[in-house]
Amino acid sequence: MAAAAPSSEAPLTAATNIEPFFVLHKGDALSTSASSLPPHLARWRIDVSRLTSSPNHKSRKRSRNEAVEEDSSGGAELYERLRLEAFHRAWSKIQSTINEVLRGISLKLFDQVLEWVHESFSAVRSIARPTTAEVQQPYPLLTDVICRKIPTAFVLTKNAEFVDDITTFRDLAGHLESNGCHLAKLSAADFSAKHGVGSCFRSLLRQLLSYVPDVAHIFALASWYSLKENYDQPIVVIIDDLEQCCGDVLGELVMMLSEWVIKIPIFFVMGIATTLDAPGKLLSSEALQRLEPCKLTLGSPSDRMNALVEAILVKPCAGFCISHEVAVFLRNYFFKHDGTITSLISALKLACSKHFSIEPLSFLCMGMLEEDCENFWRNEFDALPQVMQKYSSGLPSCTREMGSSNSGNNMVKGLSELMKVQKDWSSVLLCLYEAGRHGKVQLLDIFCEALNPYLHTQKMPNSATFLSKVTTENLQIGKSGTSRRFIDQAMDAIRYLPAETLFHLLEVWSIHLKGMNEISVKVKELQSTTISVDSVRITKDKWPRRSTGSAGNCTVPLNDKVAMLLDDATRNFLVPVECLPFHEIICFKNVGILQSALIGNPRRMVQLDLLKSHRHLKCSCCRKNGIAVSASMHDTSIMCNLAQEYGDVINLHDWYLSFDGIINSTHSKVKRKPHASPLKKKSKPMAAESEAMIQARFCRAVTELQITGLLRMPSKRRPDLVQRIAFGP
Amino acid sequence: MSQTVTPRRTTRSSASALSSVPAAPKYRPKPSPRRQLLVTAAAGPKDYDSVGELLDALPCRRAQAMDLIRLLVPAPALPLMLYGGAATGKTRTLLLALTNLRPSQRLVYASLRSLPSPRALFASLLSQLGATSSSTFSRQRLPEKPSDFISALRNALTGIVSQGEVVYLVFDNLDVVRSWDKGDQLLTLLFRLHDLLQLPQVVLVYVSSATPDAYYSMTGSVEPNYVYFSDYTVDEARDILIRGHPNPKLYSSFLSVALKPLFRVTRRVDELSAVLEPLFNRYSEPLGDLKAVSDEGIKRRLFEHVQPHLAVALSETFSVPMRASMHEIKDSGSAGKGSAKRQLGGREGLSTELEFHMSMSAKYLLLSAFLSSRNPATLDAALFDSTGGSDNRKRKRKSSQASLDMKDTMAEEMLMKGPGTFPLERLLAIFQCITSVSEDKHEVECADNKEPESGMTDLMSDVLLQLSTLCNSNFLSKSRSCPLESSARYRSNIDEDLALKVARSVSFPLSKYMYRR
């Protein structure tokens, strides 16, 4: 049954391990679902194993020659393999870039933490430097310190969602440990009210000591710490999710350790997902008093997001990019739903794998990474079978642009052109972002706008001068909302920049625009004028009375010039990838697939599948009578269809009667077409369903509906009514 | 001074104990020159110097130290209990007295705060007595039952006592035990140790920050001698704080303005010193040279400089004293001079925007949770209708004005009770209403911005996931119940400030939906 699904869809779903949830399979249908998806899938999986062993270039060439001799299906297999290989290469490139970027961001924090640890350690040691014998004494050291406090770093992770920070704290632990701290990591599970402070302290000991005594008490820690090899390092305890800890237990631990902090320098690093109020709400004031807090912040998720977008999507990193729609979807998903880097990365991975599995020519992406890309593409194109060559010239983007002569040259040229334009696009986009940064514009927003093909085609005819454009733009914003909000915001930001930052901005631009001669020359010109303006201003500052007027006059046109330059560059070079020929090869556009994979909306899907079961099953019996409910359908499906006729409560008795009616009407039909559906095969031995059997099936169907979350069982107050939970078709 | 704060009970009980200490005078004259100390200390085996040192090390605890010396020096027959508020120097006085006066004695110290279970306590005591060494503890030899512990303890103690030594058993932080599981039993055991051991050379000392009344019901054993450690007065606190300060002159002028108002908030010296330290840094900020001679004019200027910070610290000491130091650290790390303004102005700046990232649907969910905790359920129909439309909301509200008045008292009651609980269904219903309303608005705002999907279904799709996120970050709390019946009730823990911040970040008119009396 499932094999009847459109063949192009099957490998996609299989490729990403996101398998559709079939409620409707019963009996033999289940057994086929395992074996029927697979002609593609099986091959796919085998390919994976083969490829990982020998993906080298020569064997590929040879196998291709063999493949040409084979029939077209063999060729398809070969290209599937090439695409898979391309995916692996592209994704590993992206993955390593991601890791690098994230590590770069968190390293800043790590170094801060380490610095803080060293500072606190020397502060504690400056109070007193107990001998090892003193450390082992059971009673506290008598010092002149009035209040014993545990240095505590609160690391604000700035994200209510915690997933991203698990790895951050793991890396932090590794970083501190490699820099000579004793390290223990406690999580919320250790701070359970049930087991109390004892178990939490025990797990602390277990991470530090090689031998944990039967009764965990602090003297074990003290005697361990007074060993020579342990003595000169601080102990850092990382608690990564403070909010989820049990406050009482944590408070007790704090009180307990604070008594010993001078003897055993033990510091806390606590991760806070929300606000600094969290420890205040969690801990008693007495325990709070024992903490000597210090605030450290991790880069906010949108900062990290910007860095990632810059590294992966703006700078051409793996020869893979996304279309405007996909970008907007990802952005909305990030802001509306998940807001974690983890989900962004998984969405990207999904997009990437989908792209390489859907787009037949996607393996050409690899050319972007090759040194001699034109040569690579030419070779690849010549090796393409006829069908695919035809396909390449039939891509919608290139039929739009050019004629059909010499498609091979066309493609190679088109792709190199694409690559070049893409590069310019990313440099200009980065310039825009540099400018927009001063106006608090996020890269992601600019990125989405820069990808928008409609905006590009819209603004092309508009060749008015900058000033008039600004005014018309202002009018437009009033009328039609936000067509080019963020890019304009970035340009606006330039006009209010002071001279120093403007100069700095130009410097950064000249780095970004290195490959683009025309603009970088203009930037150089502007830079030289800024310098002169600067020097003028400096000299004029000596006579402040005269300079006030003229200096103001000087800077305004300069700002405008810079803005004009950027606007120029934007108009000429900020060409969205979707406006270019052959962009389909490198650009993932299918937002629908991504959406259904990420935003599952499972309950709705279950309900839809139940209502339109024949669409999936494609059986002969149900299709004939179309919309009407027939007895050959699955029980649960029948029930679900029947439930549509009720409001938010369903009378069980009525429901049962109508179910009974439908089932019994079958048996007249059974004689007419005996082997139509698996259901009937099963029920064949029974001439007519017994009352008990129908009741049992009814109950089972109701339970299934309950489990899938479509209805709620009757309450005690109204035992004969069930409540519907899911509505709408 | 110390005479007035020492309660009568202490003196009476110590008087009864004094029968064995004949030479000690009960009260000392207030201005106590060292000559007279000599007389007092004559009872002790130590000479003049060590007592003087001891008293020097214990500022403002003279009376208590003298009491202790009197009670401790010939090994007392009765147990001893030191009590008084936190941070009044109980442990310090005791330890100093013990180590200074009798350096050779055996001191067995158990702070019940660092020993989180009776077993740990037993193990620690026995290992300190040398009965077992802590590293070679085996499961079998560790006493589990109190009776085993007592016999093991007695064995260990008799061995030492027979050599003529006096053993001091100190139980610190005794009040912690009261909150333990089966803490009563342990307390009874500890208080009865004197009767159980029957060893006159073993001196039991209990240190507690709770008054003896807290333990009365549990004992029935011999009553210990009490030493009360009173809270410090302002002057005493000043003396203690100024002690050992590198710049006493400036510090005393600072304390003269800052200590009194803060002393009204807290009397604990440790808290005071924690709050005063950053304040003093602020105070001395305008002075380039800290050793500069300060005249009245400078003092006045410094006071004006520190006054706003003082006001902040006053309100913060009360709630979360860590906050002030937090700003201090942050500010001193980033910028030196302009931080004063920023700290004060920054508080308003902080309150306008949300400091952390949350997804939009989580924000809406949080808002709907807040609303369903705040508003009485009966008003839901009036505030949100089935279409979630905001256009006819006004009309609806007007029509239900009468019923609003009727429900006033009930709603007031709800407000008094704090945030209410609500079932998941109500939360989801409100969530759907407010998201649909705001989505409509959003659509109007950016009509030509092509969104791939209407946002409402988007937001609804993984709402349970968001719910668990909110529960994890303590914004919502959930009552435990059967998961299949889904009758769990939730409660929102956030305050109105945070809710308003969240509402502002998604530009949702929260105040319109909030029911106020």
Side-chain angles (χ1 to χ4, degrees):
Chain A
M1 288 175 180
S7 59
S8 67
E9 297 284 317
L12 314 181
T13 49
T16 51
N17 259 343
I18 298 166
E19 314 229 359
F21 171 40
F22 286 104
V23 204
L24 301 172
H25 292 310
K26 23 165 33 176
D28 51 354
L30 260 178
S31 64
T32 52
S33 77
S35 60
S36 69
L37 265 179
H40 312 266
L41 174 62
R43 198 160 55 211
W44 184 276
R45 291 210 172 126
I46 291 162
D47 286 349
V48 173
S49 59
R50 223 190 297 160
L51 266 175
T52 45
S53 59
S54 68
N56 93 37
H57 213 266
K58 268 185 189 168
S59 70
R60 220 179 69 199
K61 272 270 153 65
R62 206 174 340 111
S63 66
R64 170 167 324 170
N65 292 337
E66 289 159 19
V68 172
E69 286 153 28
E70 280 175 37
D71 57 5
S72 62
S73 74
E77 191 182 331
L78 171 78
Y79 282 107
E80 213 162 82
R81 208 163 64 198
L82 279 180
R83 293 206 307 264
L84 186 64
E85 191 190 340
F87 165 69
H88 283 309
R89 270 184 73 185
W91 184 252
S92 66
K93 191 98 196 296
I94 293 177
Q95 185 77 59
S96 62
T97 318
I98 289 171
N99 290 343
E100 222 167 83
V101 169
L102 290 183
R103 217 188 44 224
I105 292 175
S106 41
L107 259 185
K108 277 180 215 158
L109 172 82
F110 292 174
D111 288 338
Q112 276 180 338
V113 173
L114 194 66
E115 199 179 307
W116 166 82
V117 167
H118 288 319
E119 269 170 28
S120 324
F121 187 57
S122 57
V124 166
R125 276 292 149 89
S126 71
I127 294 170
R129 208 190 143 80
T131 61
T132 50
E134 279 174 325
V135 170
Q136 281 175 309
Q137 277 170 356
Y139 44 86
L141 208 62
L142 293 168
T143 54
D144 280 339
V145 180
I146 295 175
C147 188
R148 288 176 295 260
K149 291 185 166 207
I150 304 182
T152 304
F154 291 119
V155 177
L156 294 183
T157 56
K158 292 193 176 175
N159 195 345
E161 201 74 60
F162 185 66
V163 199
D164 288 343
D165 306 315
I166 295 173
T167 52
T168 312
F169 281 105
R170 198 192 55 207
D171 294 347
L172 175 64
H175 188 79
L176 291 180
E177 205 158 22
S178 65
N179 280 292
C181 303
H182 301 298
L183 208 106
K185 217 160 156 285
L186 298 178
S187 68
D190 295 317
F191 293 96
S192 69
K194 196 174 150 199
H195 299 297
V197 72
S199 83
C200 140
F201 188 68
R202 173 177 290 275
S203 77
L204 178 74
L205 284 187
R206 206 176 289 133
Q207 292 178 52
L208 292 171
L209 278 61
S210 53
Y211 165 73
V212 180
D214 187 32
V215 182
H217 52 70
I218 197 150
F219 303 113
L221 187 64
S223 59
W224 170 81
Y225 188 72
S226 58
L227 292 181
K228 209 180 185 182
E229 66 265 28
N230 301 326
Y231 186 66
D232 271 326
Q233 293 153 11
I235 302 172
V236 180
V237 177
I238 294 183
I239 299 168
D240 47 13
D241 43 357
L242 182 69
E243 274 99 341
Q244 295 177 45
C245 295
C246 170
D248 295 341
V249 181
L250 181 61
E252 260 176 73
L253 183 74
V254 167
M255 296 298 290
M256 179 171 151
L257 292 178
S258 71
E259 304 263 317
W260 286 77
V261 69
I262 294 171
K263 287 190 194 176
I264 310 172
I266 196 162
F267 310 144
F268 283 120
V269 174
M270 300 185 184
I272 298 178
T274 53
T275 55
L276 274 179
D277 298 341
K281 282 180 185 165
L282 207 65
L283 296 173
S284 65
S285 72
E286 204 180 5
L288 273 183
Q289 190 62 49
R290 298 301 178 94
L291 299 178
E292 189 175 342
C294 153
K295 187 178 95 170
L296 293 168
T297 49
L298 206 57
S300 74
S302 51
D303 288 350
R304 283 196 257 180
M305 178 86 171
N306 282 340
L308 277 185
V309 168
E310 181 177 338
I312 304 166
L313 296 174
V314 176
K315 289 178 181 159
C317 123
F320 162 74
C321 66
I322 55 176
S323 75
H324 173 242
E325 269 191 331
V326 176
V328 169
F329 169 74
L330 282 183
R331 189 186 71 176
N332 286 346
Y333 186 70
F334 180 75
F335 285 115
K336 282 189 180 165
H337 286 272
D338 208 333
T340 58
I341 302 297
T342 315
S343 73
L344 175 82
I345 294 171
S346 70
L348 261 184
K349 182 168 188 180
L350 195 66
C352 191
S353 71
K354 292 282 184 199
H355 174 68
F356 282 100
S357 60
I358 296 171
E359 178 54 46
L361 289 176
S362 55
F363 64 90
L364 292 174
C365 285
M366 281 305 96
M368 300 267 181
L369 301 176
E370 300 280 332
E371 295 227 334
D372 185 8
C373 46
E374 291 204 16
N375 214 3
F376 173 85
W377 282 322
R378 184 155 291 125
N379 287 344
E380 290 289 338
F381 187 81
D382 292 341
L384 279 182
Q386 207 65 43
V387 195
M388 287 174 81
Q389 285 193 357
K390 207 174 261 173
Y391 168 81
S392 74
S393 55
L395 285 174
S397 61
C398 66
T399 47
R400 198 197 309 153
E401 292 286 327
M402 47 184 92
S404 56
S405 64
N406 194 3
S407 54
N409 255 345
N410 263 351
M411 193 185 80
V412 173
K413 258 190 204 152
L415 280 176
S416 1
E417 177 72 19
L418 183 66
M419 207 167 112
K420 193 183 159 297
V421 171
Q422 187 78 355
K423 215 174 150 203
D424 293 349
W425 175 84
S426 74
S427 337
V428 174
L429 180 57
L430 284 178
C431 290
L432 266 174
Y433 174 53
E434 285 300 331
R437 218 179 249 203
H438 301 287
K440 299 211 166 127
V441 184
Q442 301 287 317
L443 178 61
L444 193 58
D445 297 329
I446 299 188
F447 172 71
C448 284
E449 262 179 32
L451 275 178
N452 194 342
Y454 304 103
L455 284 181
H456 182 70
T457 47
Q458 212 175 70
K459 87 197 162 196
M460 276 318 265
N462 185 1
S463 57
T465 60
F466 177 69
L467 274 176
S468 67
K469 189 167 162 277
V470 167
T471 49
T472 50
E473 207 78 33
N474 281 341
L475 287 175
Q476 269 181 5
I477 288 168
K479 263 186 273 172
S480 68
T482 54
S483 52
R484 243 179 51 150
R485 238 182 342 172
F486 296 109
I487 292 181
D488 289 333
Q489 215 172 312
M491 303 239 188
D492 267 3
I494 293 179
R495 300 201 298 149
Y496 300 111
L497 283 186
E500 277 165 50
T501 34
L502 196 67
F503 181 65
H504 180 71
L505 180 71
L506 285 175
E507 256 179 9
V508 179
W509 279 10
S510 63
I511 297 169
H512 284 315
L513 296 171
K514 218 159 232 172
M516 301 164 69
N517 289 328
E518 307 161 42
I519 310 184
S520 51
V521 166
K522 281 183 196 167
V523 171
K524 285 252 165 63
E525 265 170 39
L526 278 177
Q527 258 175 313
S528 58
T529 51
T530 12
I531 290 167
S532 62
V533 166
D534 267 0
S535 55
V536 164
R537 261 170 43 120
I538 287 163
T539 50
K540 275 191 179 174
D541 277 347
K542 287 175 189 166
W543 301 279
R545 243 180 260 163
R546 261 189 290 166
S547 67
T548 41
S550 55
N553 281 346
C554 257
T555 48
V556 169
L558 186 72
N559 280 359
D560 268 357
K561 265 185 207 162
V562 175
M564 223 132 73
L565 174 69
L566 184 61
D567 185 56
D568 226 35
T570 311
R571 203 167 309 139
N572 293 329
F573 295 101
L574 204 66
V575 185
V577 68
E578 281 173 273
C579 300
L580 298 168
F582 297 108
H583 72 263
E584 284 93 343
I585 292 175
I586 65 161
C587 180
F588 177 70
K589 292 165 85 171
N590 197 336
V591 74
I593 290 178
L594 205 56
Q595 199 165 10
S596 66
L598 285 178
I599 306 181
N601 213 350
R603 203 186 299 200
R604 192 182 136 86
M605 293 313 286
V606 168
Q607 199 187 10
L608 274 182
D609 285 350
L610 281 175
L611 290 177
K612 310 249 163 75
S613 60
H614 51 88
R615 267 196 209 162
H616 294 274
L617 295 176
K618 310 240 184 251
C619 54
S620 54
C621 52
C622 310
R623 213 185 320 174
K624 269 182 191 159
N625 33 19
I627 313 147
V629 183
S630 82
S632 64
M633 286 161 64
H634 190 282
D635 295 347
T636 316
S637 185
I638 298 174
M639 296 278 281
C640 187
N641 273 303
L642 289 175
Q644 296 300 307
E645 293 159 20
Y646 295 88
D648 50 356
V649 287
I650 305 171
N651 188 315
L652 270 178
H653 187 67
D654 294 351
W655 205 13
Y656 173 71
L657 283 185
S658 43
F659 179 70
D660 186 39
I662 286 173
I663 295 294
N664 281 333
S665 72
T666 341
H667 294 290
S668 52
K669 283 181 202 160
V670 165
K671 278 150 202 163
R672 221 172 55 212
K673 7 175 210 166
H675 293 292
S677 86
L679 172 69
K680 264 165 260 156
K681 250 188 246 166
K682 209 171 71 184
S683 58
K684 203 177 125 191
M686 286 168 272
E689 293 282 352
S690 67
E691 178 83 9
M693 192 62 196
I694 293 177
Q695 274 179 16
R697 284 168 62 180
F698 178 77
C699 286
R700 193 178 60 181
V702 172
T703 316
E704 272 177 20
L705 284 178
Q706 187 207 5
I707 289 169
T708 47
L710 299 182
L711 59 83
R712 187 183 308 151
M713 284 300 183
S715 61
K716 272 178 199 156
R717 214 183 298 160
R718 291 191 292 180
D720 53 342
L721 294 176
V722 291
Q723 211 170 350
R724 270 176 76 192
I725 302 176
F727 298 96
Chain B
M1 172 136 316
S2 53
Q3 293 153 336
T4 53
V5 290
T6 311
R8 195 166 296 145
R9 195 202 293 133
T10 309
T11 50
R12 191 184 49 204
S13 60
S14 56
S16 67
L18 278 179
S19 53
S20 60
V21 190
K26 250 164 108 181
Y27 298 116
R28 290 164 291 97
K30 225 183 284 177
S32 47
R34 294 203 163 175
R35 296 278 157 191
Q36 261 145 348
L37 279 182
L38 187 61
V39 181
T40 336
K46 278 283 163 176
D47 56 354
Y48 155 84
D49 280 341
S50 82
V51 177
E53 263 172 34
L54 170 66
L55 291 176
D56 270 353
L58 295 168
C60 313
R61 288 283 87 136
R62 187 177 291 269
Q64 285 81 2
M66 298 314 296
D67 275 352
L68 257 185
I69 290 169
R70 265 184 280 119
L71 288 171
L72 281 177
V73 168
L78 289 175
L80 203 61
M81 183 171 203
L82 279 62
Y83 71 98
T88 47
K90 299 181 293 294
T91 307
R92 185 183 169 85
T93 309
L94 176 69
L95 286 177
L96 274 178
L98 285 175
T99 48
N100 266 29
L101 296 178
R102 286 247 170 156
S104 62
Q105 79 344 66
R106 289 292 286 258
L107 171 59
V108 176
Y109 177 89
S111 167
L112 287 154
R113 182 157 274 148
S114 12
L115 298 165
S117 69
R119 286 188 67 201
L121 172 69
F122 298 163
S124 149
L125 284 179
L126 290 178
S127 76
Q128 283 184 54
L129 282 169
T132 48
S133 68
S134 66
S135 55
T136 57
F137 260 140
S138 63
R139 241 163 243 276
Q140 293 80 18
R141 288 172 64 193
L142 192 68
E144 290 273 357
K145 278 188 239 162
S147 55
D148 295 347
F149 163 66
I150 293 297
S151 66
L153 188 65
R154 179 178 294 124
N155 285 341
L157 283 172
T158 42
I160 298 164
V161 165
S162 61
Q163 293 162 17
E165 274 188 273
V166 177
V167 180
Y168 290 87
L169 276 182
V170 179
F171 297 96
D172 204 345
N173 296 318
L174 200 63
D175 46 305
V176 176
V177 183
R178 288 185 299 158
S179 60
W180 284 7
D181 183 32
K182 293 181 184 164
D184 300 357
Q185 292 176 18
L186 184 67
L187 275 179
T188 318
L189 178 76
L190 292 183
F191 279 115
R192 290 185 61 216
L193 270 183
H194 184 76
D195 296 341
L196 290 169
L197 290 174
Q198 297 286 2
L199 292 169
Q201 284 97 329
V202 176
V203 182
L204 295 164
V205 184
Y206 307 102
V207 182
S208 153
S209 57
T211 56
D213 303 331
Y215 306 105
Y216 266 150
S217 58
M218 303 166 197
T219 55
S221 51
V222 59
E223 194 174 337
N225 285 326
Y226 296 108
V227 180
Y228 174 61
F229 281 70
S230 59
D231 284 343
Y232 296 111
T233 60
V234 189
D235 297 328
E236 285 171 341
R238 175 180 302 127
D239 288 351
I240 292 169
L241 288 169
I242 235 167
R243 210 167 150 260
H245 198 275
N247 193 353
K249 209 169 175 189
L250 189 64
Y251 200 63
S252 73
S253 73
F254 163 68
L255 285 183
S256 66
V257 294
L259 187 60
K260 271 212 174 133
L262 282 173
F263 202 72
R264 264 180 265 138
V265 182
T266 175
R267 301 195 154 205
R268 290 179 51 170
V269 187
D270 52 350
E271 285 180 0
L272 280 173
S273 78
V275 181
L276 285 171
E277 197 191 324
L279 275 176
F280 178 66
N281 288 341
R282 288 242 181 275
Y283 183 78
S284 56
E285 216 168 55
L287 286 180
D289 178 20
L290 289 184
K291 300 284 175 202
V293 192
S294 54
D295 56 13
E296 279 308 309
I298 293 177
K299 271 186 194 170
R300 175 163 294 279
R301 239 185 45 226
L302 291 178
F303 173 64
E304 275 163 11
H305 175 70
V306 85
Q307 197 175 21
H309 302 292
L310 195 60
V312 172
L314 270 178
S315 60
E316 276 179 347
T317 317
F318 193 59
S319 56
V320 191
M322 59 181 290
R323 198 85 177 276
S325 55
M326 182 85 62
H327 281 290
E328 162 65 26
I329 286 162
K330 190 185 74 185
D331 285 349
S332 65
S334 54
K337 281 182 185 169
S339 53
K341 260 184 232 160
R342 204 148 55 83
Q343 191 204 357
L344 297 174
R347 290 174 59 78
E348 270 104 66
L350 275 180
S351 63
T352 50
E353 60 184 74
L354 203 60
E355 292 150 328
F356 55 94
H357 181 94
M358 245 198 312
S359 62
M360 193 108 85
S361 64
K363 279 177 186 168
Y364 276 115
L365 197 64
L366 187 60
L367 288 179
S368 36
F370 176 72
L371 285 178
S372 33
S373 252
R374 272 304 174 85
N375 293 348
T378 42
L379 284 182
D380 282 354
L383 289 173
F384 316 98
D385 57 9
S386 58
T387 57
S390 55
D391 13 280
N392 51 358
R393 197 171 51 78
K394 238 178 195 166
R395 185 178 51 78
K396 280 256 177 180
R397 231 180 148 174
K398 236 172 225 166
S399 71
S400 61
Q401 195 63 49
S403 63
L404 278 187
D405 290 340
M406 277 192 25
K407 305 265 161 52
D408 268 359
T409 44
M410 195 203 73
E412 201 167 53
E413 221 168 72
M414 281 188 77
L415 269 182
M416 298 291 283
K417 277 181 196 161
T421 64
F422 50 86
L424 183 62
E425 286 74 29
R426 185 166 166 233
L427 175 69
L428 290 184
I430 292 182
F431 177 69
Q432 191 152 20
C433 283
I434 65 176
T435 47
S436 64
V437 169
S438 59
E439 277 307 317
D440 288 346
K441 227 182 296 158
H442 200 67
E443 225 96 297
V444 173
E445 263 173 23
C446 45
D448 60 345
N449 206 357
K450 284 217 321 185
E451 304 266 322
E453 178 81 357
S454 78
M456 214 281 288
T457 50
D458 269 353
L459 287 180
M460 276 302 276
S461 66
D462 49 2
V463 77
L464 291 181
L465 252 169
Q466 309 289 356
L467 195 66
S468 74
T469 302
L470 292 181
C471 287
N472 276 343
S473 48
N474 277 344
F475 288 146
L476 299 188
S477 54
K478 182 186 175 191
S479 67
R480 274 166 230 282
S481 69
C482 169
L484 253 186
E485 271 186 285
S486 76
S487 56
R489 290 182 78 85
Y490 294 82
R491 180 205 299 272
S492 98
N493 296 330
I494 61 170
D495 51 0
E496 201 174 322
D497 272 354
L498 185 62
L500 281 174
K501 274 187 218 172
V502 172
R504 210 172 293 133
S505 69
V506 289
S507 56
F508 172 76
L510 181 68
S511 48
K512 271 195 203 167
Y513 290 91
M514 248 158 55
Y515 174 65
R516 280 179 207 282
R517 174 64 197 93

